[in-house]
Amino acid sequence: RKEVEQDPGPFNVPEGATVAFNCTYSNSASQSFFWYRQDCRKEPKLLMSVYSSGNEDGRFTAQLNRASQYISLLIRDSKLSDSATYLCVVRRTGANNLFFGTGTRLTVIP
Amino acid sequence: ETGVTQTPRHLVMGMTNKKSLKCEQHLGHNAMYWYKQSAKKPLELMFVYNFKEQTENNSVPSRFSPECPNSSHLFLHLHTLQPEDSALYLCASSQLPGGESTDTQYFGPGTRLTVL
């Protein structure tokens, strides 16, 4: 079983739509959780960390469900500039290496 | 952003060549990483250095040889590569984990490698 699993998409949504991405992780010892964004032919960049209580940053909301080993990212009022691949990332307790999902491709259409 | 820089940005090499990739971080971090990103695959961790000591070698073939002379610089020496080694090679740096918000990894722009 893969360490991190994501629906690869693609998700094609109109501007202004709300879109949600889901991710599951297999190792219950995972401690830190992140969403990274990667634009085409660019490096991954941190979008937001995901905290146990859930957290929000503008139009972006991240949720963590430890019992189900499930992470989500909600994007409200989608912009054209949100088009990218969104990577779900986890780190295990006691380790500093990250495990990446394959990413979910989002295209926001005018 | 120039927190993590990588050179060269693009590299084409033959299977008998020897080349090196360079990474430098200006963030004061104490851990550095090499990742490989191939099409349709998740990022694969290759090597981890903590305080310039290698702590992880993720079953990487010996044709890839890392070097970390200090906590700001990381090299990946390449020799006798195969065409399937063509990929985007990403360097990252971070502080060692000490809490939820302190271990974010910051990536360099990557070196796009093509092996002919």
Side-chain angles (χ1 to χ4, degrees), chain B:
Chain B
E1 295 180 18
T2 57
V4 183
T5 57
Q6 288 187 243
T7 55
R9 297 291 306 276
H10 300 273
L11 178 62
V12 179
M13 58 187 291
M15 290 190 284
T16 57
N17 292 157
K18 288 185 180 181
K19 297 287 183 183
S20 294
L21 309 185
K22 179 182 176 182
C23 175
E24 184 173 359
Q25 59 96 1
H26 311 272
L27 300 169
H29 289 160
N30 48 29
M32 296 187 78
Y33 313 80
W34 279 117
Y35 288 89
K36 175 183 178 182
Q37 188 173 34
S38 305
K40 309 289 186 192
K41 289 186 177 181
L43 268 79
E44 301 169 55
L45 179 69
M46 299 175 73
F47 301 103
V48 181
Y49 278 83
N50 294 337
F51 293 105
K52 74 176 184 175
E53 297 295 325
Q54 185 175 317
T55 58
E56 183 133 357
N57 174 340
N58 209 22
S59 302
V60 180
S62 59
R63 58 185 183 270
F64 295 91
S65 174
E67 178 190 359
C68 188
N70 55 62
S71 57
S72 298
H73 293 84
L74 186 64
F75 295 89
L76 187 63
H77 304 299
L78 316 172
H79 66 100
T80 59
L81 294 193
Q82 305 297 312
E84 59 265 28
D85 296 322
S86 299
L88 180 67
Y89 289 85
L90 290 158
C91 173
S93 71
S94 75
Q95 286 296 111
L96 286 174
E100 277 193 14
S101 60
T102 61
D103 57 347
T104 302
Q105 290 190 15
Y106 294 86
F107 286 82
T111 296
R112 189 159 296 278
L113 174 67
T114 303
V115 182
L116 301 177

Side-chain angles (χ1 to χ4, degrees), chain A:
Chain A
R1 187 181 171 188
K2 291 180 184 176
E3 189 86 20
V4 180
E5 296 213 49
Q6 288 182 256
D7 180 347
F11 284 66
N12 300 316
V13 303
E15 268 188 291
T18 296
V19 61
F21 304 138
N22 302 319
C23 165
T24 57
Y25 59 96
S26 61
N27 194 311
S28 59
S30 297
Q31 178 182 27
S32 300
F33 308 89
F34 311 89
W35 284 100
Y36 275 72
R37 170 193 170 132
Q38 187 170 23
D39 291 288
C40 189
R41 305 184 76 81
K42 296 283 186 72
E43 74 273 22
K45 293 186 178 179
L46 179 69
L47 178 67
M48 58 197 303
S49 300
V50 186
Y51 302 120
S52 298
S53 55
N55 47 301
E56 188 173 308
D57 183 1
R59 297 181 294 108
F60 299 85
T61 302
Q63 297 279 351
L64 168 64
N65 183 323
R66 287 188 184 270
S68 303
Q69 296 181 197
Y70 170 96
I71 306 159
S72 66
L73 176 68
L74 183 77
I75 305 176
R76 291 181 299 279
D77 189 22
S78 300
K79 311 291 185 192
L80 295 177
S81 57
D82 294 334
S83 297
T85 296
Y86 291 83
L87 303 168
C88 177
V89 185
V90 305
R91 181 177 67 78
R92 289 183 194 167
T93 304
N96 59 323
N97 48 298
L98 300 179
F99 294 89
F100 287 78
T102 51
T104 299
R105 174 78 190 143
L106 171 67
T107 301
V108 181
I109 304 164

